[in-house]
Amino acid sequence: MSSPIVQQLFTEISFVTSSDRSLYLQLSDAILSFIKKGKLRSGQKLPGSREIAALLQINRITVTKAYEELQTQGWLESLVGSGTFVSSHIVDHEPENLGGSLVPASLKKAGFAIPSLNYLASVSDTPITELHLDDGYPDPRLAPLKEFYRAYRTQLTRSGLYDKFGSYSNSAGSGYYREAIANYLNETRALQAKASNVLSVRGTLMGINLVCTALIKPGDVIVSGIPGWKRAEHNFIHARAKHIGIKVDEYGIVVDELREICRKQKVRMVYVTPHHHYPTTVSLRIDRRLELLRLANEYGFIIFEDDYDYDFHYKHRPLLPLASADENGMVIYCGSFGKSFSPAFRMGYLVAAENVIQHLAKVRILLDRQGDHILDNAMAELLNDNTTQRYLRKALSVYEKRRDLFCDLLSTELKGLVNFTIPEGGMTVWTEFDPSINLETLAKNAYSKGLYISDGKGHQYPDYKTNGIRLGFASSSKEELIRGVAILKGLVP
């Protein structure tokens, strides 16, 4: 017979009969909890299986299986003729040090040191609100979701299952997807790419991170425009590169400043969003485009071209990317479908010289063996049957009307309080507010009324201060835009 104290301890155990977890595992969980909390000590004898079965009114086999499970895990040990004991190899815990929280301390705080990465402090999720003038997201209500569902389902039912599910494949991505992307970019962006020039990524950020991991060494110089995209800059810092910012004006990055930097030190990479500069939306003028390519050829630096919303340009046809005029393999071109369909669709691509793609594919294995070939192949189906192209034409027309309405609302409802230029493309209006308006306060008050806007902190730099934010119009209907601007009007002086 075991001690009365231990018997009393086991009477505390209760079972959840509706749980998917077996009774013997629930019992082993309870015993393990007693050990971890110091209620059962190292070397302490446990009641026999028959005794516990009678005490808890369960089958003796259930108790035996629970004991066997804990013996397998090393928590208990059985001595023939003597009984079952808490393992003598376990260091006892003091109950007074365990606290009363139902959540184990190990799930709240790690026992090892975590490096402080201050540059990630500004990274936060966009809150979900009824109304939103966001960072420039598409409207998923317009996306061809039914067509995408059918294409995805087809990938799961079509023949050749071993090729899809039975083994790992090319780390550069599905050949079918890479071929479809190459054809699509050649037709729409005047590239001359083949499948071997394409690497599938989960989005622009993964593309930037992969390039930084594979091609950037600590101390390398990376140049980009200020203001810029903080998440890209965080990748540069994380790679321990030296980041240098150059001015951005109404014609894009000031390439003259880049030339002066190149004359003084070795530049490894220039990150640029030439079609619609982030965050100001201005386009890089043709003379600066050509000079940027010339400087890359002369000084041997990589141009990382982030073409995040190429398909949405309203004034005229989209400007062809730098990659289309690259004759010496200096450009790594990056795009994604996050701005076309929805940020939830993590599909993108890098396009570069074949040897670059081969190198990136090898490094990619360290992070992601091959990506999601099923998802990529579904997108390839929509590209090949022109579903994507038809959707983009429809969305372009809708977004242009929303842009016009939104800019008209800003001009009339917030007259004298905001300054902006009607963007030629993209999904946002770079809006500078009167200095008397505190954007952080405005964002908090708007949020309390169900409207999300940025507080502007992501566009601030030590040597660059602006009272400006991106106000996205594409993801909102006309009625939602009217309501959103009305809220802002009611909050500003």
Side-chain angles (χ1 to χ4, degrees):
M1 182 71 66
S2 61
S3 86
I5 296 177
V6 173
Q7 278 189 321
Q8 179 63 34
L9 186 64
F10 274 80
T11 61
E12 298 176 9
I13 298 175
S14 61
F15 301 101
V16 180
T17 55
S18 60
S19 173
D20 292 334
R21 195 160 177 79
S22 303
L23 283 182
Y24 86 91
L25 290 177
Q26 292 187 50
L27 177 58
S28 67
D29 290 343
I31 297 172
L32 180 57
S33 176
F34 293 153
I35 296 172
K36 288 184 174 181
K37 292 180 178 180
K39 295 181 178 180
L40 291 174
R41 299 303 187 97
S42 175
Q44 189 165 9
K45 185 176 180 179
L46 300 186
S49 59
R50 190 188 307 275
E51 185 179 349
I52 293 182
L55 193 64
L56 299 179
Q57 298 185 342
I58 57 177
N59 193 297
R60 183 181 177 185
I61 296 176
T62 301
V63 182
T64 301
K65 290 179 65 176
Y67 275 10
E68 290 175 349
E69 173 68 19
L70 291 172
Q71 287 177 47
T72 301
Q73 301 297 330
W75 293 99
L76 300 182
E77 53 190 11
S78 179
L79 301 179
V80 178
S82 298
T84 302
F85 299 80
V86 177
S87 175
S88 59
H89 302 291
I90 296 174
V91 178
D92 287 332
H93 294 287
E94 292 300 325
E96 60 268 23
N97 295 330
L98 297 172
S101 173
L102 296 177
V103 179
S106 61
L107 296 181
K108 291 188 174 182
K109 186 176 181 180
F112 51 83
I114 299 174
S116 177
L117 305 177
N118 295 330
Y119 51 87
L120 296 181
S122 62
V123 176
S124 60
D125 295 327
T126 300
I128 303 299
T129 53
E130 180 187 2
L131 301 173
H132 36 78
L133 299 174
D134 51 43
D135 196 51
Y137 302 145
D139 190 342
R141 293 171 292 192
L142 302 179
L145 300 182
K146 292 182 179 179
E147 292 83 350
F148 191 89
Y149 168 73
R150 286 197 292 267
Y152 192 90
R153 184 178 59 185
T154 298
Q155 289 300 312
L156 299 178
T157 57
R158 189 174 289 172
S159 61
L161 292 182
Y162 182 81
D163 294 339
K164 297 174 182 175
F165 303 112
S167 65
Y168 290 112
S169 189
N170 194 326
S171 58
S174 156
Y176 184 50
Y177 175 75
R178 297 166 69 200
E179 186 72 36
I181 290 294
N183 292 335
Y184 171 67
L185 297 179
N186 294 345
E187 293 173 2
T188 60
R189 291 148 169 84
L191 301 189
Q192 300 180 45
K194 298 179 180 179
S196 56
N197 297 117
V198 178
L199 184 141
S200 168
V201 292
R202 297 300 90 203
T204 301
L205 270 178
M206 179 179 175
I208 295 172
N209 185 272
L210 180 58
V211 167
C212 285
T213 300
L215 297 173
I216 303 300
K217 297 178 181 179
D220 280 351
V221 173
I222 300 179
V223 178
S224 66
I226 299 295
W229 190 27
K230 288 289 182 68
R231 293 184 190 267
E233 294 163 10
H234 293 163
N235 270 283
F236 308 153
I237 299 171
H238 196 70
R240 292 187 289 171
K242 179 183 178 182
H243 177 232
I244 300 177
I246 58 176
K247 183 180 177 181
V248 176
D249 61 20
E250 66 270 32
Y251 304 115
I253 60 169
V254 179
V255 180
D256 288 344
E257 290 190 13
L258 173 62
R259 185 189 306 107
E260 292 304 312
I261 294 172
C262 289
R263 288 173 177 171
K264 297 176 182 177
Q265 55 188 308
K266 176 68 175 177
V267 173
R268 177 56 172 165
M269 186 168 78
V270 173
Y271 170 81
V272 63
T273 50
H275 199 208
H276 305 128
H277 173 74
Y278 186 96
T280 66
T281 76
V282 299
S283 298
L284 187 61
R285 199 170 60 188
I286 182 62
D287 59 320
R288 298 189 182 184
R289 290 168 171 261
L290 296 175
E291 180 63 7
L292 178 58
L293 286 169
R294 191 193 68 77
L295 289 174
N297 294 332
E298 179 179 353
Y299 292 102
F301 58 74
I302 302 165
I303 297 176
F304 189 103
E305 182 175 14
D306 178 358
D307 209 357
Y308 62 95
D309 60 359
Y310 173 88
D311 297 293
F312 302 106
H313 204 74
Y314 312 113
K315 187 175 181 180
H316 45 67
R317 287 180 57 83
L319 303 173
L320 292 178
L322 297 169
S324 67
D326 177 25
E327 298 179 351
N328 296 294
M330 307 307 297
V331 178
I332 298 177
Y333 183 76
C334 183
S336 79
F337 294 98
K339 287 292 191 292
S340 302
F341 280 39
S342 162
F345 286 88
R346 306 314 303 157
M347 295 173 289
Y349 46 84
L350 292 175
V351 181
E354 289 184 6
N355 64 331
V356 173
I357 295 300
Q358 291 168 3
H359 177 66
L360 294 176
K362 292 177 181 177
V363 175
R364 187 245 183 89
I365 293 177
L366 302 176
L367 171 69
D368 180 16
R369 179 59 181 83
Q370 66 180 36
D372 189 338
H373 285 201
I374 306 302
L375 189 68
D376 285 350
N377 285 344
M379 175 55 71
E381 292 281 357
L382 300 191
L383 289 171
N384 289 337
D385 69 10
N386 287 319
T387 295
T388 300
Q389 293 85 328
R390 290 192 296 272
Y391 154 70
L392 290 173
R393 287 193 293 270
K394 173 186 175 183
L396 180 68
S397 175
V398 172
Y399 292 161
E400 182 176 13
K401 292 176 182 177
R402 292 180 181 179
R403 179 205 63 173
D404 293 344
L405 171 65
F406 185 58
C407 289
D408 183 62
L409 289 170
L410 291 179
S411 296
T412 56
E413 302 302 308
L414 300 179
K415 185 177 182 180
L417 297 173
V418 297
N419 181 44
F420 66 93
T421 300
I422 298 176
E424 295 182 352
M427 303 182 187
T428 63
V429 177
W430 175 248
T431 310
E432 295 184 352
F433 284 74
D434 186 273
S436 63
I437 298 174
N438 185 298
L439 289 179
E440 186 173 0
T441 300
L442 181 62
K444 290 180 180 179
N445 292 338
Y447 181 74
S448 69
K449 295 184 177 297
L451 170 67
Y452 167 77
I453 63 169
S454 167
D455 61 10
K457 290 182 179 179
H459 309 311
Q460 300 293 329
Y461 293 82
D463 298 322
Y464 176 87
K465 301 292 183 181
T466 180
N467 208 38
I469 55 175
R470 287 164 62 88
L471 295 177
F473 55 81
S475 61
S476 301
S477 67
K478 292 183 177 181
E479 293 73 19
E480 290 165 344
L481 290 173
I482 293 171
R483 291 171 58 196
V485 173
I487 290 175
L488 290 181
K489 182 179 180 180
L491 293 174
V492 295

